[in-house]
Amino acid sequence: MRKILFASSEVHPLVKTGGLADVSASLPLALHEQGQDVRIVMPAYRACLAALEGTAVVASINLEGFLLPVEVLESRLPNSDVVLWLVNSPYHFDREGGPYGQPESGDWPDNAARFALFSRAIAVLAMNEAGLSWQPDVLHCNDWQTGLAPALIAAQEQRPATLFTIHNLAYQGLFSRDEFDALDLPDLFWHMEGLEFYEQLSFMKGGLVFADKISTVSPSYAEEICNEEYGYGLEGLLSYRADEGRLSGILNGIDHDEWNPKRDPYITSPYSAKKLDKKADNKAALQRYFSLPQEPDVLLLGFISRLVSQKGIDLTISAVRQLLDAGAAVQLVCLGSGDPDYERDLQVLRARFPDKVGVTIGYDEALSHQIEAGVDAFVMPSRFEPCGLNQLYSLRYGTLPIVRTTGGLADSVEDADELGGGTGFQFELATPEALLVALNRALALYQQPVLWRQMQVTAMKRDFSWQNSAAAYLALYDDLSL
Ligand code: ADP
């Protein structure tokens, strides 16, 4: 049995902005089920404290660079026995709004201090210096918000082995030199081979430079980030670490209980690969919800996404507009929030095709399940995609994904052939035209119900449960100190 400290800035269902939160609940849970002693540490945001019953103060720690002591609260990951530690600094985390900022006004101005404090606390826990009598074998950090922790303990004796997982290289935690100075970090960190990145402080580099190993959330993304196109200037460092054998990719799993069409409390009519006809009830319910004509035979497309450039929303809007202008028998339902320009563009598309397009702006867990169950195909033309979860949910729901061949999308979706082989549709170029070709291929196959059904059944049989991915992480933990 290994002792693993798992550090993350968001954990479902307590706080979530994206896939990191899903992983940060599912992976520790899967490790726990495989007999490991895993503990999660996250900031004590206001929303967490409100959602958790019965937290106990188990430690009070002093952190370098911060005046007031910080409490460590202990609770359990909801619906599990997994120990959850919350770093409680009310000044930094007890506020209304998201974990990183407010949608209208951007990032919190003190994010450098907030996540430096979090990283300092992680380091204290990792070194068993909080008086909790628990010395982890492995510190597993995730994304930039935890990036300083591997750096802070790198030179210490008898430290745990460290793994840093990149969930999205696009967010690096970059701050000014002044902020570096304010954080009381060792001067020697201000170096190209330390935390400095073109005269800025990079939290992400703390993980990339100092962790024993780096992983990312799909094998393809692990290769892509070593290239200029996806590396954001970090490709040299990442290639170097890859050459050392210290960069790998493990595809995320999904929570098979939460995402199970046979037992999904949010959907109208549960179904399985054997009872696929019932999926049609969910399609009708979704069309009703979005006030679209309840036509069983149109190809109903959907997407659920943060509305950011990464996700290729503009490609979807343009390609679907062209399809609808040409009179194709398709409908589109969308759920997302983010960039106001994309929100407006979606509303414009809806206004132009009110009986073909449905749009909900916002974040809605229940509706996201209903969309996965109700649509025929899921559109995910991401410009880059470290792993992506919605294509995995789609496969499980017999909803065929239409994806760009990148990152985790390339690793999880098998391209269709004319005989009903494969589990979805891939295309290479990030252009509306390339997506349009893929949409037309899907439309053509949809006219052949036997082949479509065959692909649905194949997709539903693919196993993306956490068991496999957790076993791969365990093997990686074993290799860390090699
Ligand atoms: P990312 O982490 O880049 O946002 P992922 O595909 O890895 O992308 O994970 C996104 C997660 O967030 C999925 O679980 C998805 O269903 C969920 N999600 C995104 N936007 C919404 C929304 N508007 N409403 C409900 N769930 C959403």
Side-chain angles (χ1 to χ4, degrees):
M1 184 180 70
R2 296 164 204 73
K3 293 197 179 89
I4 303 147
L5 181 61
F6 188 95
S8 175
S9 59
E10 47 183 281
V11 180
H12 179 72
L14 300 169
V15 171
K16 171 167 166 175
T17 70
L20 170 64
D22 294 283
V23 177
S24 301
S26 307
L27 175 56
L29 194 57
L31 291 167
H32 174 76
E33 282 166 1
Q34 295 186 17
Q36 309 302 318
D37 181 0
V38 54
R39 304 188 183 193
I40 303 173
V41 56
M42 74 182 298
Y45 305 110
R46 180 177 291 182
C48 297
L49 297 179
L52 287 166
E53 285 164 19
T55 53
V57 181
V58 290
S60 174
I61 51 182
N62 290 306
L63 301 174
E64 237 178 292
F66 294 92
L67 286 176
L68 296 177
V70 164
E71 287 175 342
V72 179
L73 310 179
E74 185 168 310
S75 184
R76 293 282 184 277
L77 179 69
N79 306 317
S80 84
D81 293 329
V82 178
V83 171
L84 177 68
W85 282 332
L86 301 130
V87 176
N88 191 23
S89 175
Y91 176 75
H92 295 98
F93 300 122
D94 183 13
R95 49 179 85 165
E96 212 49 50
Y100 315 125
Q102 305 266 45
E104 326 78 62
S105 40
D107 290 348
W108 296 115
D110 57 346
N111 271 348
R114 295 171 78 235
F115 292 105
L117 175 131
F118 181 45
S119 294
R120 292 251 189 215
I122 297 167
V124 168
L125 290 165
M127 294 305 298
N128 192 18
E129 287 167 356
L132 291 170
S133 307
W134 190 79
Q135 170 68 62
D137 306 309
V138 173
L139 169 63
H140 185 167
C141 287
N142 295 276
D143 273 353
W144 73 264
Q145 296 85 350
T146 62
L148 295 187
L152 289 166
I153 65 169
Q156 306 231 27
E157 276 172 32
Q158 303 201 317
R159 64 168 175 84
T162 51
L163 174 66
F164 181 76
T165 299
I166 305 164
H167 296 259
N168 195 337
L169 194 64
Y171 304 96
Q172 296 168 15
L174 293 174
F175 301 96
S176 69
R177 167 81 210 208
D178 286 350
E179 286 179 282
F180 175 84
D181 291 335
L183 295 176
D184 243 355
L185 291 164
D187 281 342
L188 57 88
F189 280 170
W190 192 263
H191 192 276
M192 228 177 76
E193 286 167 19
L195 304 183
E196 189 207 339
F197 184 64
Y198 297 101
E199 288 168 38
Q200 286 193 291
L201 159 65
S202 163
F203 273 52
M204 177 71 100
K205 273 189 76 184
L208 303 188
V209 173
F210 292 97
D212 295 320
K213 288 206 172 164
I214 307 166
S215 73
T216 183
V217 287
S218 68
S220 288
Y221 193 61
E223 285 177 20
E224 288 170 351
I225 55 178
C226 293
N227 298 318
E228 204 182 330
E229 191 186 346
Y230 295 94
Y232 298 96
L234 291 163
E235 58 275 9
L237 169 59
L238 288 162
S239 308
Y240 173 76
R241 301 236 56 195
D243 291 345
E244 290 182 321
R246 293 183 181 277
L247 170 64
S248 56
I250 298 174
L251 197 70
N252 286 335
I254 56 172
D255 184 329
H256 267 197
D257 293 329
E258 195 156 327
W259 293 93
N260 181 356
K262 277 192 219 168
R263 276 187 298 275
D264 186 331
Y266 295 119
I267 69 178
T268 304
S269 193
Y271 62 96
S272 63
K274 288 199 187 104
K275 293 195 178 143
L276 249 175
D277 286 341
K278 290 192 165 183
K279 189 167 162 50
D281 301 340
N282 297 300
K283 179 171 179 175
L286 196 63
Q287 288 168 320
R288 211 164 38 245
Y289 177 88
F290 280 104
S291 308
L292 299 175
Q294 284 168 52
E295 294 164 6
D297 297 329
V298 301
L299 178 69
L300 180 56
L301 304 168
F303 76 78
I304 303 158
S305 174
R306 291 182 296 122
L307 301 179
V308 293
S309 150
Q310 173 195 345
K311 302 292 180 180
I313 313 298
D314 48 324
L315 307 180
T316 301
I317 292 173
S318 170
V320 169
R321 190 193 305 122
Q322 292 180 56
L323 265 185
L324 292 175
D325 275 338
V330 298
Q331 295 173 342
L332 171 71
V333 296
C334 321
L335 167 64
S337 64
D339 185 331
D341 287 345
Y342 289 133
E343 295 184 359
R344 195 204 49 228
D345 292 349
L346 285 170
Q347 300 290 14
V348 168
L349 187 72
R350 166 153 177 83
R352 181 153 162 199
F353 301 103
D355 57 348
K356 302 280 184 194
V357 177
V359 176
T360 294
I361 299 297
Y363 189 92
D364 189 332
E365 195 80 29
L367 184 57
S368 74
H369 285 247
Q370 287 148 9
I371 291 177
E372 285 293 4
V375 302
D376 299 300
F378 195 93
V379 192
M380 214 162 160
S382 304
R383 293 193 158 81
F384 65 94
E385 195 57 78
C387 175
L389 292 174
N390 276 111
Q391 86 281 12
L392 303 179
Y393 302 149
S394 297
L395 293 168
R396 183 135 167 87
Y397 279 66
T399 292
L400 302 185
I402 301 171
V403 301
R404 234 197 106 220
T405 314
T406 184
L409 301 175
D411 292 342
S412 55
V413 177
E414 299 145 56
D415 197 28
D417 58 32
E418 279 101 60
L419 303 172
T423 58
F425 304 87
Q426 292 198 6
F427 64 99
E428 293 276 345
L429 292 178
T431 62
E433 291 69 33
L435 172 57
L436 192 57
V437 171
L439 287 169
N440 275 318
R441 285 175 61 214
L443 201 52
L445 230 127
Y446 188 67
Q447 314 306 325
Q448 303 187 60
V450 175
L451 299 187
W452 189 270
R453 171 72 59 115
Q454 186 181 315
M455 285 181 69
Q456 286 181 298
V457 172
T458 312
M460 292 176 87
K461 285 191 182 148
R462 290 286 177 267
D463 182 2
F464 292 104
S465 63
W466 265 106
Q467 268 147 337
N468 297 335
S469 310
Y473 275 102
L474 280 177
L476 189 55
Y477 295 155
D478 283 342
D479 280 352
L480 283 182
S481 30
L482 298 180

